[in-house]
Amino acid sequence: MEDQRWQHLSRKIAVSSKHPPKKKQWRWLPAAACILFVLAGMLYFSQEQAEPKPTTVPYAIISTKPGQKANLKLPDGTTVHLNSASKLRYPKNFEENKRQVYLTGEAYFSVATDTKRPFTVFSSKTVTQILGTSFNLKAYPDEEETTILVTAGKVNFRSKHNSKMLLLQANQLAQYSQNKLSRTDRVSPEDLIAWRNDQLIFRNEPLSAIFRNLERWYGVSVHVQDALLLEKRYTGRFQRARLQQVLKSIGFALSFEYTINNKHVIIHTSP
């Protein structure tokens, strides 16, 4: 009986060995894995180019109202001069491999040198990357242009939506407007950062830009009754001047009068 069972089992094993089960074809797995790896890399790169998402790192926020300015020192020793109607958000303690801050408005940075931790400033439209230098960044949300002036060292400047960098050195200026970057090699740094010394300097600027600047500088609103006035241009310099003095000088040159009611300024043409 046992011999018969053994012979029956042997025949089954022999038949199975002649027809081994076919292996499933998984040849597409390596190719799929490569595709997933590439896609993951592209996603990571795109995220690195964009503004980092908020983390659990505690942040401090310093903001100035129209007519105010502020000076502060960051945890790494970087000093910041914050212009009127501006806001700076920065970590209370920088991370080990990077220093990132977020600016709305205008500020002058003197960045402490740290080769192991690049310093990056994010604005609504641009990204500025440096190791140690001094520069002025103007990025007000109500202005089309974002402007950067380098006064010492070197800076990498780019759009938030484009990885192409523009290298800037001392006394070079760059602007980002309408999705385009442009650079100017010959500039007058003193004029562009005169606000740090409470100076207002206008060089052939349209009244539309001047009035916008005065609104931030003095904390007022300006209403112009004749829109044609906004196309006129003016050149002048003021040092710690009262608003009435500034308006009187510009009005005399461009033939307009003004009325001040609390924080509201009305501009009208001279009779």
Side-chain angles (χ1 to χ4, degrees), residues 66-129:
Q68 295 180 338
K69 298 181 182 68
N71 297 326
L72 63 146
K73 180 175 286 189
L74 302 184
D76 65 332
T78 294
T79 58
V80 183
H81 301 269
L82 199 61
N83 204 350
S84 302
S86 302
K87 181 174 69 174
L88 184 72
R89 184 167 67 94
Y90 61 94
K92 293 183 178 180
N93 291 292
F94 287 116
E95 298 182 49
E96 294 182 357
N97 60 345
K98 59 187 176 182
R99 297 173 289 170
Q100 297 179 336
V101 301
Y102 307 85
L103 174 69
T104 301
E106 183 173 15
Y108 183 87
F109 295 84
S110 293
V111 180
T113 301
D114 188 340
T115 56
K116 296 182 179 180
R117 295 188 299 174
F119 192 95
T120 306
V121 182
F122 292 91
S123 72
S124 60
K125 301 175 184 176
T126 61
V127 179
T128 305
Q129 296 176 333

Side-chain angles (χ1 to χ4, degrees), residues 52-68:
K53 295 181 179 180
T55 63
T56 56
V57 176
Y59 277 82
I61 297 177
I62 301 295
S63 60
T64 55
K65 297 179 181 179
Q68 295 180 338

Side-chain angles (χ1 to χ4, degrees), residues 41 66 128 154 158 176 204 209 217 224 245 255 264:
T128 305
K154 297 180 181 180
R158 67 172 176 86
Y176 176 74
N204 195 35
W217 193 272
V224 181
Q245 293 176 286
S255 301
H264 303 283

Side-chain angles (χ1 to χ4, degrees), residues 177-194:
S177 178
Q178 298 180 346
N179 298 322
K180 292 182 180 179
L181 281 173
S182 61
R183 178 172 55 197
T184 303
D185 293 331
R186 296 181 180 180
V187 295
S188 299
E190 297 79 11
D191 291 358
L192 297 171
I193 58 175

